[in-house]
Amino acid sequence: MTNRFSLISTFILLSAVLLLIGCAPSAADYYNRGLTAYNNGNYDEALEDFSQVVSLDPNNAQSHYYLGLTLEQIYAQANPELAINIYTKAISLDPYFTEAYYHRGLTCYTLYNQLLAIESLMVQNEEATRNETPLPMLDSNFSLAPHFTSAECKNMAISDFQMCLSLNISAEIRQSAETYLQELTNTP
């Protein structure tokens, strides 16, 4: 009787484990949930889901791309380098991923303009300090983005927009990439 009870217990336990394993969300489940959350503007939820996909399937370029888009929505002003790094990973996984090039270029373009504005403020602050009237918004601990200079952002944006134009892209992205590229190449 004990032997039979042990066998039944083992069978039930094994069945429960197999059921639980089969019920765990897959990378595709997280991806679909992430897309839904992203499209509904629930970026924190999308971030969690796309992060899960990337951890379960680290070679999925599309998931890295959507993780980059999500990070861009959440941290666009605070830390655009996160999105740039994720787009770079998507591109390394799929060198023909036009949208990843475009969005990395766009993020670099935005960061480039932010850095130019900061650099201009810093020059103004240096001049004001010489005149003993420093700008209140900048202090001695202020620094630029830790990983990129404005020149690096500009060069990466130019390279990405050129790559977009060399790949098969939609007319809308082509026109936008051409406009940004023209603006970037016409600035000193």
Side-chain angles (χ1 to χ4, degrees):
M1 178 90 168
T2 312
N3 196 12
R4 186 173 181 196
F5 179 73
S6 177
L7 186 61
I8 292 173
S9 297
T10 303
F11 177 76
I12 291 172
L13 181 63
L14 202 65
S15 297
V17 168
L18 290 174
L19 184 63
L20 286 175
I21 290 171
C23 291
S26 67
D29 294 331
Y30 282 116
Y31 180 82
N32 291 329
R33 275 190 0 198
L35 275 180
T36 301
Y38 180 84
N39 290 330
N40 290 330
N42 299 328
Y43 302 119
D44 290 331
E45 187 179 317
L47 179 62
E48 289 177 28
D49 289 331
F50 289 126
S51 295
Q52 285 291 335
V53 178
V54 166
S55 70
L56 292 171
D57 186 4
N59 296 322
N60 186 323
Q62 196 77 19
S63 297
H64 281 86
Y65 168 71
Y66 275 105
L67 180 59
L69 286 178
T70 303
L71 288 168
E72 199 175 333
Q73 290 296 325
I74 296 173
Y75 301 114
Q77 300 300 317
N79 195 349
E81 291 94 350
L82 285 172
I84 291 170
N85 291 334
I86 297 296
Y87 291 136
T88 300
K89 178 65 176 177
I91 290 166
S92 75
L93 294 169
D94 182 356
Y96 301 102
F97 199 162
T98 306
E99 291 85 358
Y101 281 107
Y102 177 76
H103 281 279
R104 185 176 72 177
L106 193 56
T107 304
C108 287
Y109 171 83
T110 302
L111 182 58
Y112 166 69
N113 285 317
Q114 290 171 352
L115 291 174
L116 283 183
I118 291 169
E119 290 166 0
S120 175
L121 279 174
M122 291 181 79
V123 167
Q124 290 174 21
N125 191 47
E126 287 175 21
E127 291 171 5
T129 301
R130 281 194 292 268
N131 296 330
E132 297 181 7
T133 56
L135 299 173
M137 68 205 78
L138 298 179
D139 63 24
S140 60
N141 296 322
F142 187 82
S143 66
L144 295 176
H147 300 104
F148 297 105
T149 65
S150 60
E152 289 170 328
C153 289
K154 179 180 180 180
N155 291 336
M156 190 182 300
I158 288 171
S159 174
D160 285 346
F161 291 134
Q162 287 173 335
M163 185 58 126
C164 280
L165 295 174
S166 73
L167 297 171
N168 185 19
I169 56 174
S170 70
E172 181 182 353
I173 290 179
R174 175 173 295 285
Q175 182 179 8
S176 181
E178 287 171 345
T179 301
Y180 287 121
L181 188 56
Q182 183 178 12
E183 184 178 325
L184 287 164
T185 54
N186 289 335
T187 57

